[in-house]
Amino acid sequence: MKIILVDDERIALEHIRTLIPWEENGYEIAAAATNGRSALRLCEEHRPQIMIVDIRMPVMDGLELIRAVAERGWGVNFIVMSAYEDFNYARQAISLGCVSSYLVKHEVNRDKLMQELAKAKLAWEMNERQRKLSRSEQLKEAFFASSQPAKQGAHIARPPLCALLLQADVPFTTIPSVAASPDASGTIGWTEGFKHAETTAAWELVGEFAHGPGKLVALFEQRDKSVSVQREAFHRIASTAQREFDGRLGYTVSFYFAFEYADAAHLPVLIHKLEEAARHTVFSGRNTLACAHDLPLPIRMAPANMDGSRRWLEALAACIAQEDYGSFESVIKEWFDSLAQPEWNLNGLYEAIRALTTLYRERLAAAGLPEADPLDPIKFGPLYHVTDIRNRFLHAFGELNEQGSTARKRLSPKLLQAIRYLHAHFQDEIGVEDAAAATGISVRYLHELFKRELNRTFLDYLTEYRIKQAKIILMREDAKMAEVSARVGYRSPQHFSQVFKRLTGVLPHQFRAKEQAR
């Protein structure tokens, strides 16, 4: 706890210095002054918690000093001393509200001073808790003022200012509201977190407040208004504080900050900028320390672009048709690159994930494999960065491609040729005779190939493939049942429904309802 001594008699100053072991008792004499004016300057520089002040001094006396410090709202608690039992002075000093004791110098001994310091410390701590609550409310009003923002923010601090948003890092989810965030109210306070920073000489913490689960907002004021904005100095402070937080909290945190150069009334603009940066954290990743002004945030949130997704999906479909997984991988990489430049496109990312997940499930269905989530956090672990999401899809599709390649290698060339014909013409009224003619073998031999290598008949395989394609249409589109049945080779919707239920256990409309509810 910092203390400043103020007395015009140097002998009196030395006596107080040597009266008790200050550091052993948790106190630090930050400075000493011989008049009120010098003490006021030192108070602004060191921001002590307690000042021990003589009443009668030249230039500026003790009462004037106490009034000046109180007007500036620095929250200092005073122990007033005098060589006289001047009760008029005592009454005036105590009436100022920030004086805990009035002592007569020749009566002060070690025990008395320790007792009064303890009283002053307790008074400061109680007042500081109240000041923090009050500052937090004032900051909230300044940051989220909906009307007359100039009046709300002007009294908080004078620019240059820096607003900072701390956000606990949580795994990415396509449903952001479901992500569990640590409770910021249970973390160490900002003052504690910044106490071990390299330096706070350039910037002073004005106040902070919790801003929802796992989030804190803090406002800093640059002390020296005569110099340009000291961005590098703040970055050093924030970097040191971030390491301090990471070491104490048990999870990583990201820091986003933004500067205001002209007017405290613009704090609502600053908090909007910081919230946008925090909302796009999947593009910057865990443990981010960044100035929001330097991030490629969108000017306005772009709507989900279904046509854009369709273009990329068509390119992927072409790669699948040509069995070109190298190009398939390149298309996915280009797609994700387009989401991060020239601006971060969060809605586009959500749409890409939805589209690729649907495509993955379609490929699983086509391969006769059970449905799975390529981003399953329980199976594959949490994802924090857009690159992790991209790589997870590449891995999932790569595994699926290898499984398909292994299956294809086991089939004879003539059967593979017949299967490709079936895949290309399953919407038509085709039979085993058509496939045999296209393959250049007899119907009997093609029957034998299906039975020997796939353990099913040509009709069984055709029916299963048609139903798999029907599932894809039902999952992706809102087409009528007559249209769905026609697109998968059934002229009668009733017959299609019967076959669908025989293979899946549910009717087509029941399957669609189940998928939409997921």
Side-chain angles (χ1 to χ4, degrees), residues 104-138:
V104 178
K105 288 183 180 180
H106 68 268
E107 295 178 352
V108 177
N109 56 33
R110 175 192 176 103
D111 292 340
K112 182 66 172 175
L113 183 57
M114 287 292 297
Q115 179 182 342
E116 297 307 324
L117 282 169
K119 187 195 301 184
K121 179 181 178 182
L122 179 61
W124 181 87
E125 289 173 344
M126 292 177 65
N127 290 335
E128 183 62 13
R129 281 195 291 270
Q130 188 58 44
R131 280 191 296 272
K132 280 188 175 181
L133 289 173
S134 178
R135 280 199 299 270
S136 292
E137 291 305 315
Q138 289 176 338

Side-chain angles (χ1 to χ4, degrees), residues 43-310:
C43 185
E44 182 174 12
E45 178 182 346
H46 294 284
R47 296 300 170 88
Q49 286 76 42
I50 299 173
M51 294 181 76
I52 301 177
V53 178
D54 187 15
I55 281 290
R56 302 195 183 201
M57 295 181 295
V59 185
M60 176 188 283
D61 68 23
L63 291 179
E64 292 175 301
L65 171 62
I66 294 170
R67 288 193 186 96
V69 173
E71 288 172 358
R72 287 161 173 77
W74 291 336
V76 180
N77 197 268
F78 289 87
I79 297 174
V80 174
M81 302 183 69
S82 177
Y84 313 96
E85 294 183 7
D86 194 329
F87 295 108
N88 182 46
Y89 270 118
R91 189 167 51 252
Q92 291 184 60
I94 294 172
S95 69
L96 295 174
C98 51
V99 176
S100 62
S101 306
Y102 184 93
L103 305 176
V104 178
K105 288 183 180 180
H106 68 268
E107 295 178 352
V108 177
N109 56 33
R110 175 192 176 103
D111 292 340
K112 182 66 172 175
L113 183 57
M114 287 292 297
Q115 179 182 342
E116 297 307 324
L117 282 169
K119 187 195 301 184
K121 179 181 178 182
L122 179 61
W124 181 87
E125 289 173 344
M126 292 177 65
N127 290 335
E128 183 62 13
R129 281 195 291 270
Q130 188 58 44
R131 280 191 296 272
K132 280 188 175 181
L133 289 173
S134 178
R135 280 199 299 270
S136 292
E137 291 305 315
Q138 289 176 338
L139 282 176
K140 286 181 184 179
E141 290 179 6
F143 275 107
F144 301 105
S146 57
S147 62
Q148 296 181 313
K151 291 183 180 180
Q152 296 280 5
H155 67 286
I156 295 294
R158 293 187 300 113
L161 301 172
C162 183
L164 189 148
L165 174 63
L166 175 152
Q167 175 172 270
D169 292 322
V170 296
F172 175 81
T173 171
T174 53
I175 309 175
S177 59
V178 172
S181 299
D183 185 0
S185 64
T187 66
I188 57 176
W190 276 95
T191 305
E192 183 71 16
F194 277 88
K195 185 170 68 174
H196 302 284
E198 288 182 20
T199 175
T200 55
W203 293 90
E204 177 187 359
L205 178 65
V206 176
E208 75 282 347
F209 59 90
H211 183 40
K215 293 183 181 181
L216 287 170
V217 174
L219 181 67
F220 293 80
E221 180 178 8
Q222 185 171 299
R223 287 186 171 182
D224 189 350
K225 312 295 184 184
S226 64
V227 301
S228 58
V229 177
Q230 297 175 290
R231 290 181 55 153
E232 291 185 5
F234 185 84
H235 191 279
R236 287 195 299 272
I237 295 168
S239 178
T240 304
Q242 187 180 48
R243 291 193 296 272
E244 181 73 18
F245 273 87
D246 288 348
R248 294 185 178 212
L249 297 180
Y251 50 84
T252 61
V253 291
S254 289
F255 282 39
Y256 299 97
F257 53 91
F259 296 94
E260 173 52 44
Y261 310 101
D263 193 339
H266 297 155
L267 290 179
V269 177
L270 242 56
I271 192 64
H272 176 73
K273 188 86 171 176
L274 294 174
E275 287 174 333
E276 279 298 288
R279 198 155 67 88
H280 287 76
T281 189
V282 66
F283 289 96
S284 54
R286 273 195 295 182
N287 227 28
T288 296
L289 174 62
C291 178
H293 301 299
D294 301 333
L295 301 177
L297 298 172
I299 297 174
R300 61 182 61 85
M301 183 58 66
N305 188 348
M306 299 292 290
D307 291 336
S309 296
R310 191 171 292 113

Side-chain angles (χ1 to χ4, degrees), residues 396-429:
F397 279 109
E399 282 189 333
L400 185 56
N401 180 65
E402 289 178 6
Q403 291 173 343
S405 297
T406 302
R408 287 191 294 272
K409 287 176 183 176
R410 291 199 304 264
L411 302 180
S412 62
K414 287 295 182 181
L415 181 57
L416 279 173
Q417 188 176 350
I419 288 174
R420 291 194 185 102
Y421 175 83
L422 182 151
H423 288 174
H425 299 276
F426 72 94
Q427 305 98 326
D428 305 326
E429 292 184 11

Side-chain angles (χ1 to χ4, degrees), residues 4 8 17 19 61 70 107 123 184 200 223 260 275 313 320 348 389 410 412 420 433 451 464:
I4 290 181
D8 62 334
R17 280 182 186 273
L19 195 56
D61 68 23
E107 295 178 352
T200 55
R223 287 186 171 182
E260 173 52 44
E275 287 174 333
L313 288 171
I320 291 171
I389 298 170
R410 291 199 304 264
S412 62
R420 291 194 185 102
E433 296 83 1
K451 199 66 177 173
E464 290 171 6

Side-chain angles (χ1 to χ4, degrees), residues 170-172 286 375-385 388-389:
V170 296
F172 175 81
R286 273 195 295 182
L375 303 183
D376 186 347
I378 297 175
K379 184 176 180 180
F380 303 112
L383 301 168
Y384 290 91
H385 193 270
D388 299 333
I389 298 170

